[in-house]
Every structure is written in C-alpha cells, then in structure tokens.
Amino acid sequence: MAQKNILQYIILGLLDQEPRTGYELTQDFAHEIGEFWQAQHSQIYPLLARMEEQGLITHSVEVAGTKLEKKRYSITTEGRSALSSWVGAPTPTMATTKDEFVLKLYFVQRADDARLPGMIREQIAIHQEWLDHLEARRQLLFGDENVPQDQFGHYLILDHALTREQQYLSWLDQQLTQLPHN
C-alpha cells in the first residue's frame, strides 16, 4: 500500500487556520510544526504546486514593496474535505522514530563501557534543554490555563511532548545511576 503524503495534510491544516505564503509555511515547520514533524523548503514548494493542480489549494498574488510578488495560498472546499477525511481516518500504524543515541546504545556491548556515562550525561543535557524549551512554549502559548478552550489539539501535542521528555529524562537518570563505577 502506498504511503500517504502526510505533508500535504499538514499544509492543508495550516492553510485551514489562515492563508499563508510559502515562506510562512516554511517558517511554521521551523517553529510550531517542527517540534514534531520536519519538512524542508525543497519539499514544500513543489508540493504546493501539485496541490494546486489537484484543486486542494489556490493562490492569489500579492505585491510586496515595489516589485516583489508573492503567492498567498488558501485552502479550497475540496482541500477542506480532504483534510477532514484524513483527520477522521484511523491511524493504525505506529511511527518509527530515528534516535541516533538509541542506535548507538544498541552497539554498546558491556555495562562497564567507559563511554556510557558521558553519552548518557550528554543526552540528559540535551533532553533537559528541550524540556525547558517545551515548558517555555506552553507558558507562552497557554499561560496558566490548564486546558485551553481553543487550540486544544496544539495543547495536546505540547503536553505529549512534555510527558515524553520527562519520561526520557527519568529513564536516562535511572540508567546512569545503574552503571557500574559511575
């Protein structure tokens, strides 16, 4: 079975929030969406053209300054229908994550490997920094509100990311304390 082009649905979802330029979409992947899904400029622009050919989106041309033209993309009725179908469809597979640290652990043979404490401490620092970032994002976006009335999905993914990082840090701390000669 062919894999769905998830990126097109992300773009449809962003355009359903508000019309955006290609640059603004790229920036969304550098910030909000980039916390859980990656896409490059080289993927986004060709996909926008294909999506427009398929009737999922349309664009208008805006002039910025005296000469610069930019396209502002909007979702069509057909695009909203496709987005709604995708959001409501089952998600039967579990995503594979690419974690280079875990891959390296796979090749460590012994618990007394001298590299392990440094490797784990490095990951603790990385994940603590990311956890701090996520907590700052939650405070910036939602303040002290426990469950927001709008942007509930965004709140859920941020809460998921926070929980994941807290659990990962707990696991790393546990592994570090169990190492011999630590």
Side-chain angles (χ1 to χ4, degrees), residues 3-4 9 16 19 37 55 59 63 67 112 116 144 158 163:
Q3 185 176 355
K4 291 184 249 176
Y9 296 109
D16 193 41
W37 199 275
H59 80 271
V63 177
K67 296 182 181 178
D112 62 354
L116 275 174
D144 295 327
L158 190 51
T163 301

Side-chain angles (χ1 to χ4, degrees), residues 11-25 28 48 57-60 62 71-76 80:
I11 290 172
L12 288 172
L14 290 169
L15 294 178
D16 193 41
Q17 293 174 348
E18 66 181 341
R20 288 172 161 85
T21 64
Y23 175 78
E24 290 167 339
L25 287 165
D28 287 328
L48 287 170
I57 62 174
T58 187
H59 80 271
S60 59
E62 297 178 353
K71 294 180 179 180
R72 181 161 302 277
Y73 295 92
S74 302
I75 191 169
T76 64
R80 272 194 190 88

Side-chain angles (χ1 to χ4, degrees), residues 105-137:
L105 288 180
Y106 182 79
F107 296 107
V108 171
Q109 300 294 318
R110 300 175 45 88
D112 62 354
D113 188 313
R115 299 171 294 183
L116 275 174
M119 291 169 64
I120 293 173
R121 285 188 186 99
E122 176 187 54
Q123 289 301 304
I124 288 171
I126 290 168
H127 285 274
Q128 185 61 58
E129 183 178 340
W130 187 243
L131 179 61
D132 294 345
H133 164 77
L134 292 170
E135 287 172 342
R137 292 291 302 154

